[in-house]
């Protein structure tokens, strides 16, 4: 037997700017917005790879030298570094390593992540100029 009521269900109002109320949510939304920088970087990289296949390498280089593209690339690298920094801060909080029945200090994992990033960046830089 089903009973029905004549009362309306309570639906809490959700405004479009709900995330502006707390700093945590603001930083969360900024971090999520870094996906736009990732999309930009992927498109530039794709254009570069396509340009390598033909005679368009000069066009790609002149594209990269455009001041607007340069500014977008600087904004993109800043956003991606912010994304990496927040990821490296969050990872030790959600990923627990246990060695000899003891939890590994989360700072060690964070520092290892930064070290690996530095080594990979350095190797990429060295291979760029070889």
């Amino acid at each position: 037997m089903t009973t029905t009521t004549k009362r309306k269900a309570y639906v809490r109002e959700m405004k479009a700017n709900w995330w502006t109320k707390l700093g945590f949510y603001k930083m969360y939304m900024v971090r999520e917005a870094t996906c736009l920088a990732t999309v930009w970087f992927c498109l530039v990289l794709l254009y570069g790879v396509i340009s390598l296949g033909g005679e368009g390498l000069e066009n790609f280089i002149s594209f990269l030298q455009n001041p607007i593209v340069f500014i977008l690339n600087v904004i993109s690298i800043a956003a991606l570094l912010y994304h990496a920094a927040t990821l490296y801060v969050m990872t030790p909080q959600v990923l627990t390593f246990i060695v000899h029945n003891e939890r590994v200090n989360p700072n060690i994992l964070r520092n290892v992540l930064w070290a690996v990033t530095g080594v990979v960046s350095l190797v990429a830089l060295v291979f760029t100029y070889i």
Side-chain angles (χ1 to χ4, degrees):
M1 175 176 183
T2 2
T3 59
T4 59
T5 62
K6 294 183 180 183
R7 288 194 293 170
K8 290 174 59 177
Y10 173 72
V11 178
R12 186 174 166 189
E13 181 183 1
M14 181 69 72
K15 295 182 180 178
N17 65 345
W18 63 268
W19 55 273
T20 61
K21 305 293 185 240
L22 289 173
F24 170 78
Y25 292 125
K26 288 178 189 176
M27 298 314 291
Y28 173 78
M29 294 302 280
V30 168
R31 183 178 191 283
E32 292 300 308
T34 60
C35 72
L36 298 174
T38 306
V39 169
W40 168 254
F41 178 76
C42 289
L43 290 173
V44 170
L45 190 62
L46 179 65
Y47 178 44
V49 169
I50 291 170
S51 297
L52 285 175
E55 297 294 323
L57 189 58
E58 294 81 19
N59 292 337
F60 178 65
I61 292 172
S62 66
F63 170 75
L64 289 177
Q65 292 173 342
N66 185 330
I68 294 172
V69 173
F70 180 77
I71 290 170
L72 287 174
N73 285 339
V74 169
I75 292 169
S76 178
I77 192 70
L80 293 175
L81 286 173
Y82 174 75
H83 185 88
T86 57
L87 178 71
Y88 293 173
V89 168
M90 289 186 311
T91 298
Q93 295 174 359
V94 296
L95 185 64
T96 303
F97 282 109
I98 298 175
V99 177
H100 299 297
N101 292 330
E102 288 191 30
R103 185 172 185 243
V104 175
N105 185 351
N107 293 332
I108 293 173
L109 179 58
R110 185 193 66 226
N111 293 340
V112 165
L113 289 170
W114 277 115
V116 168
T117 300
V119 167
V120 169
S121 298
L122 188 62
V123 167
L125 186 66
V126 166
F127 279 114
T128 300
Y129 290 105
I130 289 182

